[in-house]
Amino acid sequence: MAASSNQSNDVLYPMQTPLSRADLFKLKGGLTLFLIGLAVPILLLLEMRYVVAGGYVAPQVTQWPAIAATVAMLLSGLFTVAGSKSAKKANRPGIVRSYNWAILFALIAIILIGIPAFNGVLDPVSHYGETFIPTMGTIDVYLFFTWIGMLATRSRVKRLGNKIENYWGVYATNIVLWFMFVCWVVTWVQLYYL
Amino acid sequence: MSVTPGNSPLQATGELPVVPRRRMSPPMKGVIWAAIGFLLLNSIVSGIDPDVLHSYVNQVSVVFGWMGAMVGWLFGVGGWDALVKPAFGFPLKWKETVGWRRYFEYSTDHKVIGIQYMVSSGLGFLIAGIAAMMMRLQLMSDHMWLFQYSKGYLTTVGVHGTIMMFSVGTVFMVGGLGNYLIPMMVGSNSSAFSRLSGISVWMVPAGIMTVAFSPLLGDWTTGWRGYQPLASQDGDGIIFYYLGVFILLLSSLIVALNLVATIVFKRAPGLTWNRLPMYAWGMLAVSFLNIIWIPEIMMTFILALLAKIVPLPLFTAVGSPMVYLQMFWLFGHPEVYIVVVPALALWMEILPVLSKKTLFARQWGVIGLVFVMLLSGMVWAHHLFPTQGNSTILPISFFTEMISIPTGFAFMVAIGTIWKSKFTLNTPSLLVLMSMFNFLIGGLTGVFLADPMVNMQLHDTFFVVGHFHYTIIGGMVFSSFAAMYYYLPKFSGRTFNDKWGQFGAYWIFIAFNATFFQFFIVGLRGMNRWVPVYPHYLMWQNFEISICAFLLGFGFLYNIGYIIWAWVKGPAAEENPWKAKTLEWYAPSPAVGTNFETEPQVVNGFYDYSDGAGEAVVFQS
């Protein structure tokens, strides 16, 4: 969406313009394309693991951070859902409160996913290790950028206050976080159990 | 010149935009921020490196330093003020400027962005062209004379191929012409994701510079493919190859997302799929290819980079040097169609207009574009025939030959359209015909190479080099020049002298064929690729090929120079000099400001030139 302006020539932000159904359709479509693009490297990495390491799973791979990261991401996702529900009622303080928790749990997930990849338990030049580390690293990088998006959404809601006309940013962040959750769960199950 | 770009934040007030107070030029600010970003991240990573004997700039730190430089560059050219700060809800201070300066800073106007893409791509064409001239200079003799070592020659080959493929072939007709034309073609005043698009264009010069200066870090011998595990034995320049290509591909990925969303979601009322312009169909097909394959190759390059700098043995383990080959060519062959499909679409866009005849078999043209897109992902292994068994070779050979059928639909539509028409033979149509001829040669030799027996003999010879130059230069570059001449009145409001245009077209056509047809012959005579020295009996043919190549280089310079001259000084053009019916010609020429003051409604197809055919577009008051 291009920015637009009001009578006093203030430049408006995307969240400050009302969105029609067609606008929302366009934004959802664009986001879907973006997520399809994001899924391709994950699929490549999952395939790469079988090419290089077959179905082998290293016995020393650390289990608990992965389980804890899954819980943290789930909690983060639940709070972004709560944020979206608040957005439907235009309850801005509710969005900010939900996002405070969502951001915290997403940060915890980022750290937890980084632990098994970088705690030195796995040999990075083993067949399993050399696919495990880039895959976990990619998920972590994706999640880091999602986290920045969550920070931006929260900051926008807080700063723009009652000038907000649409909450697409809140809904989109929620969708992206759940997409990340699915990517993570698939990766976790595949790398740890299959 | 007072200009209100199509989607400027200021246009809604109806006032002319205010020239902002003087400020540092955004590219200069970008360079300074990039330098700061590099120093900062390189220093941090270098500082925490536990190896005390490492140098200040080492393999790992330079990667992070480069990332810092890219972020600094993109923030400096306008991303910080116009994108990041507003994303966090801070007041937007940035205002789109006017006049020529707007081409040197962040913009959300798709037309400005399109021209920025074209100019950046043109810069890449010149740099890669100079590299090609250096290669031909070396090959004028059968022994080393221009380059001291073969690695220098191979690095030049790599820089040439990389910049040509990733910043010219992939960018000019999609990022450049696509960004400029598609919103107008679908009857919109802006592209779908104009803010994102405004920043993606600045990745192109950064990517080109990264690749162009990569030899300063050390020679790399892999060509445009970045082959692992070979790359792990190369100098550190290969690191900048991976990084430079990564940022170029990221730019193309954003272009693809933007174009698909624009075509799907921003079409004017009445612009059904049956009426969608052929160039828009081409952009749609190419963008889907980009959305699928670019993330795949970006991830592959990250893995290859890790294999170089960690180093992980990703591509040397369990007999898997083949893994990288497969992963690269999975993208690599669709890439050829990413380059060529826009050219095929452009033929079908220009020819009915200049023939004044209804587009022949339009549906087959669309089917051809879509099936080329679908089949392009099933032919990659023909690049690897000498490493494959029969079980792989035969189906891939079959699909490679099959793909010539939907490609042939474009020829059928083009020839059927000009057949018995009132054809206007001018510079753009001449260049389209030349492009068709060249691509036919490239395509036929491609079918020839798809035959496994032939492929085994000709693999890694100049025959293959001739083949792909006929498709890429012959198909895409000639079509790009056709587009530049055809759309010049739209870009600039000026036109060209057709005699001088045709002179330039014949020049490059003759020089191109004199150069690259001989590649087939010299390849059949035993000239190998990837070697700066060769048997003495091939020297005189290589010598005169080089002379022809220099003539071709000067021919391209002539055409670029003439187009620039006509853009600035050419005679004024009519609003719609070709009497075309597509929507972009309903926008003002030169196309500055708002594309459509009132929303257009499409009521008929754009390519119907039959008697009694009505207007394609009406405007609601």
Side-chain angles (χ1 to χ4, degrees):
Chain A
M1 284 283 295
S4 56
S5 63
N6 59 11
Q7 290 302 314
S8 57
N9 212 20
D10 297 329
V11 177
L12 303 179
Y13 302 94
M15 284 181 96
Q16 288 179 269
T17 49
L19 293 178
S20 64
R21 283 173 68 90
D23 289 334
L24 268 176
F25 186 61
K26 179 195 78 176
L27 289 166
K28 283 179 187 169
L31 182 63
T32 306
L33 291 170
F34 175 67
L35 296 181
I36 290 169
L38 278 185
V40 173
I42 302 292
L43 292 173
L44 177 90
L45 287 165
L46 299 185
E47 170 65 16
M48 176 89 180
R49 176 266 176 109
Y50 289 109
V51 172
V52 174
Y56 175 77
V57 177
Q60 69 270 36
V61 66
T62 321
Q63 293 277 358
W64 70 263
I67 297 165
T70 311
V71 174
M73 280 188 76
L74 187 63
L75 288 171
S76 183
L78 291 175
F79 278 109
T80 56
V81 169
S84 293
K85 284 186 177 168
S86 299
K88 279 186 181 153
K89 298 172 196 158
N91 174 10
R92 285 182 297 280
I95 299 171
V96 173
R97 266 198 309 277
S98 300
Y99 266 67
N100 286 340
W101 287 107
I103 287 165
L104 176 67
F105 283 117
L107 181 63
I108 291 169
I110 291 169
I111 295 165
L112 287 168
I113 291 171
I115 289 174
F118 301 108
N119 64 357
V121 172
L122 281 176
D123 179 4
V125 295
S126 68
H127 295 330
Y128 181 74
E130 66 176 344
T131 56
F132 182 89
I133 292 170
T135 310
M136 298 288 271
T138 303
I139 290 282
D140 233 7
V141 169
Y142 275 20
L143 195 53
F144 175 70
F145 283 106
T146 308
W147 187 71
I148 300 225
M150 292 163 77
L151 284 177
T153 304
R154 178 194 172 278
S155 177
R156 238 176 16 243
V157 170
K158 195 170 180 186
R159 286 176 183 281
L160 296 181
N162 56 10
K163 294 177 191 165
I164 294 175
E165 294 282 340
N166 78 75
Y167 288 93
W168 162 247
V170 180
Y171 306 137
T173 310
N174 178 45
I175 294 168
V176 173
L177 189 75
W178 279 99
F179 169 81
M180 287 311 309
F181 179 74
V182 172
C183 284
W184 160 247
V185 169
V186 169
T187 304
W188 170 47
V189 170
Q190 193 253 14
L191 279 179
Y192 280 73
Y193 303 111
L194 299 178
Chain B
M1 183 168 56
S2 299
V3 173
T4 310
N7 47 9
S8 159
L10 297 168
Q11 77 183 48
T13 62
E15 296 170 11
L16 289 176
V18 180
V19 181
R21 64 186 172 80
R22 279 190 76 81
R23 57 185 177 187
M24 185 187 288
S25 115
M28 180 58 68
K29 196 172 163 187
V31 169
I32 293 170
W33 285 34
I36 294 169
F38 181 88
L39 288 172
L40 190 66
L41 261 78
N42 185 80
S43 301
I44 291 171
V45 175
S46 195
I48 60 176
D49 190 333
D51 177 6
V52 290
L53 295 176
H54 68 80
S55 59
Y56 172 66
V57 179
N58 55 66
Q59 285 187 341
V60 177
S61 74
V62 83
V63 171
F64 283 92
W66 178 88
M67 286 159 58
M70 281 308 107
V71 172
W73 165 251
L74 296 175
F75 281 6
V77 293
W80 178 254
D81 288 331
L83 215 59
V84 178
K85 283 169 75 177
F88 281 83
F90 289 94
L92 182 59
K93 301 287 186 194
W94 167 83
K95 286 212 166 67
E96 201 154 325
T97 189
V98 295
W100 61 270
R101 282 192 180 85
R102 68 201 165 123
Y103 295 105
F104 293 90
E105 64 174 34
Y106 176 86
S107 171
T108 53
D109 185 337
H110 70 94
K111 299 179 289 293
V112 174
I113 294 166
I115 288 172
Q116 287 172 334
Y117 263 114
M118 284 189 263
V119 171
S120 301
S121 187
L123 173 74
F125 187 69
L126 289 177
I127 293 172
I130 290 169
M133 296 299 108
M134 288 170 67
M135 287 148 57
R136 285 315 317 175
L137 266 175
Q138 168 58 45
L139 292 175
M140 289 175 91
S141 173
D142 59 354
H143 60 275
M144 300 299 291
W145 73 278
L146 182 65
F147 295 97
Q148 198 170 1
Y149 302 107
S150 58
K151 275 193 165 185
Y153 172 82
L154 291 174
T155 303
T156 309
V157 176
V159 168
H160 164 75
T162 304
I163 294 180
M164 278 294 188
M165 289 305 282
F166 293 111
S167 80
V168 181
T170 314
V171 170
F172 189 88
M173 293 191 87
V174 187
L177 290 171
N179 259 308
Y180 192 99
L181 294 172
I182 290 299
M184 282 195 275
M185 277 185 163
V186 299
S188 169
N189 280 330
S190 67
S191 62
F193 303 120
S194 50
R195 290 181 300 152
L196 205 53
S197 188
I199 206 69
S200 72
V201 67
W202 291 98
M203 296 173 185
V204 177
I208 292 172
M209 289 300 129
T210 304
V211 176
F213 288 114
S214 62
L216 294 177
L217 288 185
D219 288 328
W220 44 284
T221 59
T222 63
W224 75 284
R225 300 88 40 102
Y227 277 159
Q228 283 286 10
L230 178 63
S232 286
Q233 303 162 22
D234 274 333
D236 289 342
I238 193 72
I239 293 172
F240 271 18
Y241 160 87
Y242 290 127
L243 296 173
V245 175
F246 182 87
I247 198 81
L248 286 168
L249 288 166
L250 183 60
S251 176
S252 287
L253 182 61
I254 294 171
V255 168
L257 291 169
N258 188 31
L259 289 183
V260 171
T262 304
I263 293 167
V264 174
F265 301 112
K266 299 210 77 169
R267 282 170 292 136
L271 185 50
T272 59
W273 294 107
N274 272 335
R275 291 173 179 162
L276 193 68
M278 296 306 283
Y279 197 66
W281 269 112
M283 287 297 104
L284 196 62
V286 164
S287 298
F288 275 122
L289 280 178
N290 276 335
I291 289 170
I292 295 165
W293 295 115
I294 284 183
E296 187 268 339
I297 196 65
M298 286 169 81
M299 195 68 237
T300 302
F301 283 159
I302 290 174
L303 294 174
L305 184 67
L306 292 173
K308 171 73 180 172
I309 64 173
V310 173
L312 296 178
L314 278 164
F315 302 107
T316 50
V318 286
S320 22
M322 286 304 299
V323 172
Y324 185 89
L325 288 181
Q326 302 279 3
M327 288 165 72
F328 179 82
W329 286 110
L330 265 172
F331 154 83
H333 202 80
E335 162 72 0
V336 175
Y337 291 97
I338 289 166
V339 174
V340 165
V341 163
L344 307 183
L346 192 89
W347 302 350
M348 296 186 269
E349 191 64 50
I350 291 181
L351 287 178
V353 177
L354 296 180
S355 303
K356 289 291 168 282
K357 187 179 160 201
T358 303
L359 185 66
F360 177 76
R362 180 184 185 277
Q363 288 85 344
W364 286 100
V366 174
I367 289 169
L369 295 175
V370 172
F371 271 80
V372 165
M373 175 191 87
L374 295 175
L375 284 173
S376 69
M378 301 163 81
V379 300
W380 79 97
H382 67 227
H383 294 270
L384 325 169
F385 272 173
T387 65
Q388 305 290 304
N390 276 348
S391 58
T392 313
I393 287 177
L394 294 177
I396 294 289
S397 173
F398 171 75
F399 283 120
T400 306
E401 294 184 5
M402 279 283 286
I403 205 168
S404 61
I405 296 172
T407 312
F409 290 174
F411 280 88
M412 179 184 73
V413 172
I415 293 169
T417 302
I418 58 178
W419 189 262
K420 292 184 177 178
S421 70
K422 294 169 188 165
F423 190 59
T424 307
L425 190 66
N426 56 10
T427 308
S429 63
L430 186 63
L431 281 161
V432 166
L433 294 181
M434 289 169 171
S435 173
M436 289 172 62
F437 174 85
N438 296 334
F439 190 71
L440 181 67
I441 304 288
L444 289 177
T445 49
V447 175
F448 196 53
L449 284 168
D451 184 273
M453 289 305 177
V454 176
N455 191 290
M456 296 295 177
Q457 294 300 314
L458 294 175
H459 202 90
D460 262 349
T461 69
F462 258 60
F463 190 95
V464 179
V465 185
H467 154 69
F468 68 72
H469 278 84
Y470 261 93
T471 57
I472 306 294
I473 297 184
M476 178 261 168
V477 175
F478 273 72
S479 292
S480 297
F481 277 112
M484 291 307 291
Y485 282 109
Y486 181 78
Y487 284 110
L488 191 62
K490 180 56 55 191
F491 297 146
S492 65
R494 295 178 185 276
T495 188
F496 53 92
N497 182 315
D498 198 51
K499 279 184 188 164
W500 290 114
Q502 290 203 28
F503 170 71
Y506 282 116
W507 182 349
I508 56 174
F509 180 71
I510 291 167
F512 171 79
N513 280 282
T515 304
F516 289 103
F517 200 81
Q518 291 200 78
F519 274 37
F520 296 131
I521 298 166
V522 81
L524 288 169
R525 293 180 68 210
M527 179 72 193
N528 278 329
R529 303 171 66 185
W530 309 111
V531 283
V533 293
Y534 49 83
H536 181 69
Y537 76 93
L538 296 168
M539 191 168 91
W540 290 110
Q541 190 173 11
N542 266 304
F543 185 88
E544 49 111 348
I545 287 175
S546 293
I547 300 293
C548 296
F550 300 145
L551 283 174
L552 178 62
F554 286 119
F556 283 139
L557 281 181
Y558 166 82
N559 277 281
I560 293 168
Y562 184 61
I563 289 167
I564 294 171
W565 180 86
W567 189 308
V568 179
K569 300 270 185 191
E574 297 171 41
E575 280 277 312
N576 182 1
W578 317 117
K579 306 288 181 282
K581 294 184 173 188
T582 33
L583 271 164
E584 74 273 20
W585 293 102
Y586 288 85
S589 297
V592 287
T594 307
N595 297 337
F596 305 101
E597 293 292 347
T598 53
E599 190 178 36
Q601 181 163 11
V602 182
V603 291
N604 277 311
F606 297 115
Y607 307 107
D608 186 357
Y609 286 92
S610 57
D611 292 337
E615 280 290 319
V617 180
V618 294
F619 286 88
Q620 296 153 340
S621 54

